[in-house]
Amino acid sequence: MMLQKDFPSVTKYMGSKTEVLDLIERGINYFDNDHEWICDLFSGSATLSAALRNKANVISNDIQEYSEVFANTYLDNYFWDNYPDVKEITNEALERYHKFLNYYSDYDESFSYDHDFTLEEFNSLEEKERDLIKKNDWNEFDNYYLFTKDYSGTYWSFKQCVMIDSYRYVIDKYKDYPELFNLLLSCLMYAMAYNSQSTGHYAQYRIPETDSSKEDILIYRRKHLSNLFERKYEDLKEYLQGENHYKFITMAETDDDCLSKMPERSLVYADPPYSPVHYSRFYHVLETLVKYDYPEVRYKGRYRTDRYQSDFCIRTHVITAFNEMFKRIKEKNSDMILSYTTSDANTIKFDELITTCCDAFNPDMLNDGEKNDLIEKCYQFIDYKNENQILDVLSADESHKDLQYSISLIKKPYNHSRMGRTKKKTVPVVETVIVAKYLNK
């Protein structure tokens, strides 16, 4: 199977698998049989859904609802002649935007970035915008004010937030066209990502301390969402012209719930979060845009108070979480491809992961000496830079003839994006996939 690799992205996303799709492709083709379903268990920005469009039956799952929107966008079929032109959608959003600013004309005049600022003037303006969270009578105009109230002067300016709310107002009119509804939400999330003054995620927004950082933020404050929204719509429209002839299921559930519903003999691709910082913190505003439920928000980052906390992100829980996931996959007699990126910040070390994997799929097969040999062999493999290698960790040879699963490794060194979290934009890492193959004896 050859994966699609030239699809339009829908957001900036930490840990996106776009750069290692060739490695995932090798993992899929490692199996000598086609699977009826490929299940992307932690789909994130839905990269694999995009790559598998019209290639296989797909189950896309992630606990975050924005991920389900992305997956539906990539996998659904469209009836373009039935939809309005994207400029009509923008014009309707602009009409609502201008009416809102006319209603709140004092804010329209006060919150302008179309002139020069001293650092003190800029920070004063931003602070006044952030204080709008205290205003409780926004519904005098209509019920689309969530971002204006909660996020003005943070990741976006007041007027950019009014535009986000205005687009959301228009998008809700297309709920009877779910494929278009999801696509429009994806376009808006893309425009938000590339208009945001943050560093590629939404854990924190920047407060400038120097004139140079102020000028950098001003570049984003003066941008217009509509340009990026329309461009992404046209990109997706061009890419999604052909019909997807394969079946797909999208979910927004825990990995455990998804695996319990997954058909037997599927192929599971698992890329769980290894970071101690939860994705629900990095991308909380995307979840809020999709839900549009006026949540309680707290702290500088304006985080939702109901953010999901993954056990894979908690060092004291992560081994149990992996063990349960492996057992669920085994119960379904299914195969697995598991991504692992080397990093000192990971919640689980590679030796812990590989031994947990081997023990779960083949319980009581290895003694302590064999485990030590296995760990040493695996570390030598991932430290070695040659890409054209597969390591059979456990295979069905005479020494392990009672194996239920063979375990193999495939790896790729590459430069991983730091998403602006440090001055160094990328860091060299080794991406490894652990392949667990059901032997079906």
Side-chain angles (χ1 to χ4, degrees):
M1 180 188 296
M2 297 289 289
L3 299 183
Q4 306 266 15
K5 300 185 179 74
D6 59 349
F7 51 85
S9 67
V10 286
T11 193
K12 296 179 181 180
Y13 206 72
M14 184 180 68
S16 171
K17 295 303 173 186
T18 304
E19 295 299 319
V20 291
L21 279 174
D22 55 340
L23 184 61
I24 299 170
E25 181 179 271
R26 289 179 67 194
I28 292 173
N29 290 321
Y30 180 82
F31 299 93
D32 50 15
N33 63 300
D34 292 330
H35 298 83
E36 183 178 357
W37 290 93
I38 297 179
C39 175
D40 187 1
L41 199 55
F42 304 88
S43 58
S45 60
T47 294
L48 189 57
S49 290
L52 288 171
R53 178 181 172 84
N54 223 359
K55 299 285 185 178
N57 297 329
V58 176
I59 300 170
S60 180
N61 177 70
D62 197 287
I63 194 65
Q64 301 295 324
E65 291 187 21
Y66 63 78
S67 178
E68 186 174 20
V69 170
F70 291 149
N72 279 314
T73 297
Y74 284 129
L75 294 170
D76 223 328
N77 287 309
Y78 294 86
F79 309 92
W80 299 106
D81 291 342
N82 296 341
Y83 312 143
D85 184 83
V86 65
K87 289 195 176 296
E88 292 181 40
I89 294 168
T90 290
N91 287 338
E92 191 172 355
L94 284 170
E95 182 181 358
R96 190 265 176 193
Y97 168 86
H98 289 299
K99 286 180 178 178
F100 185 95
L101 293 182
N102 185 58
Y103 190 87
Y104 297 104
S105 57
D106 289 345
Y107 297 143
D108 183 19
E109 296 169 4
S110 302
F111 298 147
S112 172
Y113 291 84
D114 294 334
H115 57 276
D116 293 331
F117 291 89
T118 66
L119 180 61
E120 291 75 17
E121 289 170 342
F122 180 86
N123 280 329
S124 175
L125 170 62
E126 298 262 290
E127 187 174 354
K128 289 176 183 176
E129 291 190 3
R130 290 192 290 272
D131 281 345
L132 294 177
I133 195 171
K134 301 172 185 176
K135 179 179 170 62
N136 293 316
D137 57 353
W138 291 105
N139 59 359
E140 288 180 359
F141 183 79
D142 65 15
N143 291 320
Y144 288 82
Y145 56 85
L146 192 164
F147 278 77
T148 303
K149 179 180 187 294
D150 287 352
Y151 296 103
S152 290
T154 63
Y155 310 99
W156 305 277
S157 69
F158 164 76
K159 291 185 180 180
Q160 287 171 333
C161 285
V162 174
M163 194 63 189
I164 291 169
D165 287 326
S166 297
Y167 264 124
R168 194 64 177 79
Y169 162 82
V170 176
I171 290 170
D172 266 359
K173 296 183 178 183
Y174 296 97
K175 285 184 175 179
D176 290 340
Y177 298 87
E179 73 287 353
L180 180 61
F181 176 77
N182 287 314
L183 183 139
L184 294 175
L185 280 178
S186 292
C187 292
L188 182 53
M189 285 188 273
Y190 177 88
M192 289 165 60
Y194 285 88
N195 276 271
S196 170
Q197 58 97 312
S198 64
T199 57
H201 54 69
Y202 307 101
Q204 293 287 346
Y205 54 86
R206 293 182 291 170
I207 296 178
E209 297 179 351
T210 64
D211 283 330
S212 61
S213 59
K214 173 204 69 179
E215 292 301 319
D216 183 58
I217 292 172
L218 272 169
I219 293 172
Y220 292 92
R221 291 302 196 218
R222 290 166 175 163
K223 282 186 172 185
H224 299 281
L225 275 82
S226 57
N227 297 332
L228 287 168
F229 180 92
E230 291 177 9
R231 189 178 78 189
K232 186 51 54 178
Y233 182 94
E234 296 297 345
D235 287 348
L236 288 167
K237 181 179 179 180
E238 180 179 359
Y239 180 74
L240 298 168
Q241 284 294 326
E243 184 179 356
N244 180 11
H245 296 282
Y246 286 81
K247 295 179 287 186
F248 67 92
I249 299 169
T250 63
M251 304 181 191
E253 303 191 12
T254 65
D255 59 297
D256 187 64
D257 288 340
C258 177
L259 290 172
S260 69
K261 297 175 182 179
M262 181 187 74
E264 289 197 6
R265 307 305 301 272
S266 297
L267 172 59
V268 176
Y269 172 67
D271 181 28
Y274 293 96
S275 170
V277 182
H278 299 262
Y279 274 67
S280 60
R281 176 172 176 247
F282 281 124
Y283 301 103
H284 59 100
V285 294
L286 301 186
E287 193 73 354
T288 296
L289 179 78
V290 171
K291 291 176 179 287
Y292 211 78
D293 54 354
Y294 296 87
E296 180 184 1
V297 296
R298 291 183 183 173
Y299 310 114
K300 176 189 171 183
R302 307 281 172 96
Y303 309 127
R304 300 176 64 94
T305 58
D306 62 348
R307 292 188 298 113
Y308 177 75
Q309 309 290 296
S310 171
D311 283 343
F312 291 95
C313 298
I314 303 171
R315 295 184 191 277
T316 55
H317 297 177
V318 64
I319 290 180
T320 299
F322 271 112
N323 196 46
E324 291 301 314
M325 183 184 77
F326 295 147
K327 287 182 178 179
R328 282 284 194 186
I329 294 170
K330 181 181 176 184
E331 287 170 1
K332 291 297 183 84
N333 296 327
S334 291
D335 297 316
M336 181 194 74
I337 301 169
L338 173 70
S339 283
Y340 183 88
T341 304
T342 55
S343 171
D344 292 338
N346 286 349
T347 52
I348 186 170
K349 295 180 180 179
F350 190 67
D351 58 347
E352 297 172 319
L353 178 59
I354 197 68
T355 54
T356 301
C357 178
C358 291
D359 282 342
F361 283 108
N362 297 288
D364 304 320
M365 289 297 297
L366 295 175
N367 59 42
D368 290 341
E370 288 175 312
K371 287 181 182 179
N372 290 334
D373 290 342
L374 179 152
I375 292 166
E376 182 178 356
K377 186 165 55 174
C378 289
Y379 271 115
Q380 289 174 349
F381 176 79
I382 64 170
D383 286 341
Y384 186 60
K385 299 303 181 184
N386 185 350
E387 295 184 33
N388 300 313
Q389 235 183 355
I390 297 178
L391 176 64
D392 291 323
V393 177
L394 292 177
S395 58
D397 56 26
E398 286 302 311
S399 60
H400 293 112
K401 57 186 177 182
D402 294 327
L403 286 179
Q404 296 170 279
Y405 278 79
S406 67
I407 310 294
S408 303
L409 305 181
I410 312 173
K411 62 102 181 286
K412 175 183 179 176
Y414 79 108
N415 291 321
H416 177 65
S417 171
R418 297 289 293 162
M419 294 295 289
R421 286 168 287 159
T422 65
K423 291 182 179 179
K424 192 174 182 180
K425 292 184 178 180
T426 62
V427 59
V429 298
V430 175
E431 179 84 9
T432 306
V433 294
I434 302 173
V435 180
K437 182 178 181 181
Y438 177 54
L439 297 176
N440 191 24
K441 295 181 180 178

